[in-house]
Amino acid sequence: MDVVVVTGSAGLVGGEAVRALASRFDLVVGVDNGMRRYLFGPAGSVADNLADVERIPNYRHHRMDVRDESALTALFGEYGSDVRLVVHTAGQPSDEWAADRPVVDLKVNAVGTMNVLEAVRRHCPSAVVVLTSTTKVYGDVSDSLPLVETDTRWEIDPAHPYHEHGIDESIRLGGNRTFAGVSKLAADLAAQSYAGLLGLRVGVFRCGSVTGARHAGVEQNGFLSHLVRSAVRGATFPVIGHGGKQVRDVLDARDLVEMFWQFYLEPRPGEVYHAGGGRERSTSILELIARYEHLTGQEVPFEHVPEHRFADVRCWITDTRKFRRDYPAWQPAHDLSDILRSVHEHWVDADMTGVDDLSDSTATP
């Protein structure tokens, strides 16, 4: 039997991995303890996404915390060498949340990842493992690049090598880094060591801004989804810092999962890849608001918050050419307008009963 294990299976990327991989494996084993609701309150709940994936016939859910080493060991022991692929998406994504609870954040992101890797090492060492890391591991080092301010965005100077295609894997690790960036970097480096020292077939994907129709965006995490969700409900969207000119490139979670699939078919253990939408899917907050208003004819009420967040860089555009050189069959299928449209349609259709507050919760799990 061919088994894939997906951690964070009720979340955005995990849920899309379950949907995409269910037809490609005999059994999809999901691990998720619903922690996102505790992180971000009712607006961050992924209960609807979990209910959706649980309708997939060959999906089996385990309500489990990746910090629980013994539970993970027992789970992987149950399926053993039948596990062919592990997609590890479980994690704590918010810089702001981590600032108040750095120890919990470290245990979820770093220790949780080590628990998964160690369970693979003990029970299915031939499995391919995909780790969803983040560009936050670089801290604010991209702000040291030569940047140019325009009317609507911060941009990498056209004379710089990163301008045309974005930032590649050669950028140094350094600068100011949030606690979430620290814990993600620890997980990232651990995964590389499990590949280099212990021979596990691990690939690390440093993701930029990943989103999609089922993204439960809140102020602390998931800016595109939170913007659309706010607009649909007539709530004021906070534009935090940099005058709204900060730039990110956006990748649909479905396209990210296809990167994972290509890696699984021909794994390159220990490799680190940037995963993002590239220049074609880059946008500032101001540009995103204008694009959304043009697409929908719906006004986005927003207010400027002058102070920017710690280590919130002015410009990040992802260069994915390394991955595309190694896996030329992959190309992102969803452009920025398609992503915005799908997120808009989701929130228009969503049953908002019981989700009246889009603010974040500070509850501790």
Side-chain angles (χ1 to χ4, degrees):
M1 181 168 63
D2 291 341
V3 176
V4 54
V5 176
V6 180
T7 69
S9 57
L12 170 68
V13 178
E16 295 301 345
V18 171
R19 294 180 188 91
L21 298 174
S23 63
R24 299 168 180 173
F25 290 85
D26 299 318
L27 180 66
V28 182
V29 175
V31 173
D32 200 304
N33 67 341
M35 187 176 181
R36 189 176 172 89
R37 180 183 177 91
Y38 292 99
L39 296 174
F40 304 125
S45 172
V46 292
D48 288 346
N49 204 25
L50 175 59
D52 184 69
V53 297
E54 285 191 309
R55 287 192 282 268
I56 297 172
N58 62 331
Y59 176 78
R60 186 178 300 169
H61 188 72
H62 295 260
R63 186 174 179 85
M64 188 178 295
D65 192 323
V66 293
R67 291 172 292 179
D68 189 339
E69 181 182 6
S70 61
L72 278 177
T73 298
L75 175 72
F76 278 85
E78 178 181 350
Y79 297 104
S81 60
D82 285 342
V83 177
R84 314 294 187 206
L85 171 64
V86 178
V87 180
H88 180 41
T89 75
Q92 194 296 112
S94 171
D95 294 318
E96 289 71 40
W97 196 94
D100 288 333
R101 305 161 188 82
V103 175
V104 177
D105 172 77
L106 183 71
K107 289 178 179 178
V108 172
N109 289 340
V111 176
T113 297
M114 293 284 286
N115 288 341
V116 171
L117 292 169
E118 192 61 20
V120 170
R121 178 191 183 190
R122 293 179 186 179
H123 297 289
C124 51
S126 296
V128 175
V129 182
V130 167
L131 172 68
T132 52
S133 185
T134 172
T135 56
K136 292 178 183 179
V137 301
Y138 296 109
D140 64 358
V141 69
S142 66
D143 264 1
S144 65
L145 298 173
L147 300 176
V148 177
E149 185 177 9
T150 73
D151 289 342
T152 61
R153 64 159 57 195
W154 283 98
E155 183 58 86
I156 301 171
D157 191 300
H160 194 277
Y162 286 156
H163 175 81
E164 183 177 2
H165 299 288
I167 300 169
D168 65 25
E169 293 82 355
S170 67
I171 191 170
R172 66 182 176 87
L173 292 165
N176 295 310
R177 191 179 289 114
T178 64
F179 284 117
V182 169
S183 63
K184 285 290 193 178
L185 180 58
D188 184 312
L189 295 176
Q192 293 179 59
S193 293
Y194 268 86
L197 292 174
L198 303 175
L200 291 194
R201 302 200 292 170
V202 184
V204 175
F205 289 78
R206 291 178 179 164
C207 303
S209 296
V210 179
T211 193
R214 294 177 174 87
H215 199 178
V218 292
E219 184 176 315
Q220 288 184 311
N221 178 253
F223 75 96
L224 186 148
S225 176
H226 182 52
L227 186 154
V228 174
R229 190 180 195 179
S230 298
V232 167
R233 303 194 63 226
T236 300
F237 176 75
V239 177
I240 302 174
H242 300 308
K245 295 183 180 182
Q246 59 268 52
V247 169
R248 302 292 184 269
D249 62 308
V250 180
L251 183 67
D252 192 288
R254 293 169 291 181
D255 288 325
L256 177 60
V257 172
E258 288 306 310
M259 295 180 85
F260 298 164
W261 175 248
Q262 292 297 320
F263 182 85
Y264 168 72
L265 294 176
E266 191 178 346
R268 295 172 178 263
E271 288 290 353
V272 175
Y273 294 107
H274 281 181
R279 176 162 289 283
E280 299 85 354
R281 294 162 186 79
S282 70
T283 180
S284 71
I285 301 297
L286 295 180
E287 291 168 351
L288 187 67
I289 290 171
R291 181 186 288 263
Y292 177 76
E293 290 180 335
H294 177 75
L295 271 175
T296 65
Q298 184 167 333
E299 182 181 358
V300 177
F302 66 91
E303 61 180 1
H304 285 283
V305 179
E307 187 68 25
H308 67 81
R309 291 164 168 157
F310 180 77
D312 180 25
V313 299
R314 289 172 291 171
C315 183
W316 181 280
I317 299 173
T318 308
D319 184 351
T320 59
R321 285 180 300 164
K322 176 183 175 181
F323 184 83
R324 287 184 282 121
R325 282 193 297 267
D326 288 349
Y327 302 95
W330 180 81
Q331 289 289 340
H334 305 280
D335 64 21
L336 188 53
S337 293
D338 179 39
I339 294 168
L340 267 176
R341 190 176 295 108
S342 66
V343 175
H344 172 77
E345 291 172 354
H346 171 78
W347 287 120
V348 167
D349 294 341
D351 177 9
M352 301 301 290
T353 302
V355 187
D356 297 323
D357 185 6
L358 290 183
S359 64
D360 300 333
S361 169
T362 57
T364 301

